[in-house]
Amino acid sequence: KSPNYLKLIIDGKRNLSKEMVKKFATALNLAKKDSLEFEALVNYCQAKDPLERNNHLKTLSEIRIEERIHVGEIDQKSVDEAPSWLSWVLLSLCDQKNVDLTVDNIKKSIKRNLSPQQIEKSLKQLLDNDEIEFDHESKTYSKKLNTNHDAQKIPPEMVRKLQSELIYLGSESLFQDQPEDREFGTVSLCLTKKEFDELKFELRHLRKKIYKDNLINREDSKGDQVFQLNIQLFPLTESIETN
């Protein structure tokens, strides 16, 4: 009803309250799914706290994935079968000492805000994939020998979603964990195409070596904590071709 108020919102001089987000969505005649995305966008843009902003970004990503499933761009079965970051953490948690894998203990052990439903869903997926087993007497889960995911079966969109989730976790660690409990390093490099391909190969080899060595070590003893190692290599400038 107030053109001046609308102008302040557009210029970024005023924020929308939760109530006003819904009123704006109604005034713009947005469908329910579009209203959810609009609300997520507003929350993301207005958030000041880095962790809160990160959570809104995850919500926005999930809404857009759901929309792509709805229109048929992504197959629901592929989504259900694709691993999640939580699935990988649960597999590694099987190798941590002094942890009984019940839903309650898993929730207490993982340093992220997870619902029992999220944990149960990932556990079911691992059970269905024959990667863990359930002991009915102790009510606990344990890892089986078959723990290799076939990356070829994961759709590219789901790989991108999974990688985004791991980046979100890294962002949260930057603000939640103490410097002595994490290691974040970076270097900017100017590479030729050949050097880039060689570096990609070396990083993949390093990742496989670290994973293999860890599997061997966990055969002898349990670990103390579960850590996430992310490796990122991406372009920051355009390649300029000369005639």
Side-chain angles (χ1 to χ4, degrees), residues 73-178:
E73 292 182 11
I74 302 177
D75 180 52
Q76 181 66 61
K77 184 180 178 183
S78 298
V79 175
D80 294 337
E81 292 179 352
S84 68
W85 69 267
L86 181 54
S87 299
W88 289 347
V89 172
L90 292 177
L91 281 175
S92 295
L93 196 58
C94 292
D95 292 326
Q96 182 173 326
K97 61 187 177 185
N98 302 324
V99 176
D100 292 326
L101 287 190
T102 63
V103 173
D104 286 343
N105 284 342
I106 290 170
K107 184 170 173 56
K108 292 175 185 176
S109 299
I110 297 178
K111 300 169 64 176
R112 295 296 180 271
N113 186 22
L114 296 168
S115 68
Q117 292 76 20
Q118 287 175 294
I119 296 170
E120 287 167 358
K121 180 180 178 181
S122 290
L123 287 170
K124 182 181 183 303
Q125 185 183 54
L126 292 170
L127 282 169
D128 292 342
N129 290 339
D130 202 31
E131 295 181 279
I132 61 173
E133 55 190 354
F134 181 68
D135 187 308
H136 291 277
E137 278 192 28
S138 63
K139 306 293 184 184
T140 62
Y141 297 86
S142 59
K143 185 165 68 174
K144 300 181 79 171
L145 294 178
N146 175 29
T147 59
N148 290 321
H149 294 289
D150 186 353
Q152 299 301 319
K153 293 182 179 179
I154 305 176
E157 285 294 338
M158 298 315 299
V159 172
R160 188 178 293 114
K161 178 178 182 293
L162 177 57
Q163 291 171 337
S164 297
E165 290 172 344
L166 295 175
I167 292 172
Y168 297 149
L169 288 175
S171 298
E172 289 175 1
S173 176
L174 192 61
F175 295 98
Q176 285 186 188
D177 299 323
Q178 296 300 315

Side-chain angles (χ1 to χ4, degrees), residues 44-60:
Y44 171 71
C45 291
Q46 294 183 171
K48 301 298 182 185
D49 179 74
L51 291 179
E52 183 186 353
R53 190 175 175 85
N54 199 53
N55 286 330
H56 291 315
L57 185 59
K58 285 191 289 185
T59 300
L60 186 58

Side-chain angles (χ1 to χ4, degrees), residues 1-14 24:
K1 295 180 181 179
S2 170
N4 184 55
Y5 179 69
L6 176 60
K7 181 73 165 55
L8 291 172
I9 294 294
I10 292 172
D11 291 343
K13 295 178 180 178
R14 290 285 296 272
F24 264 70

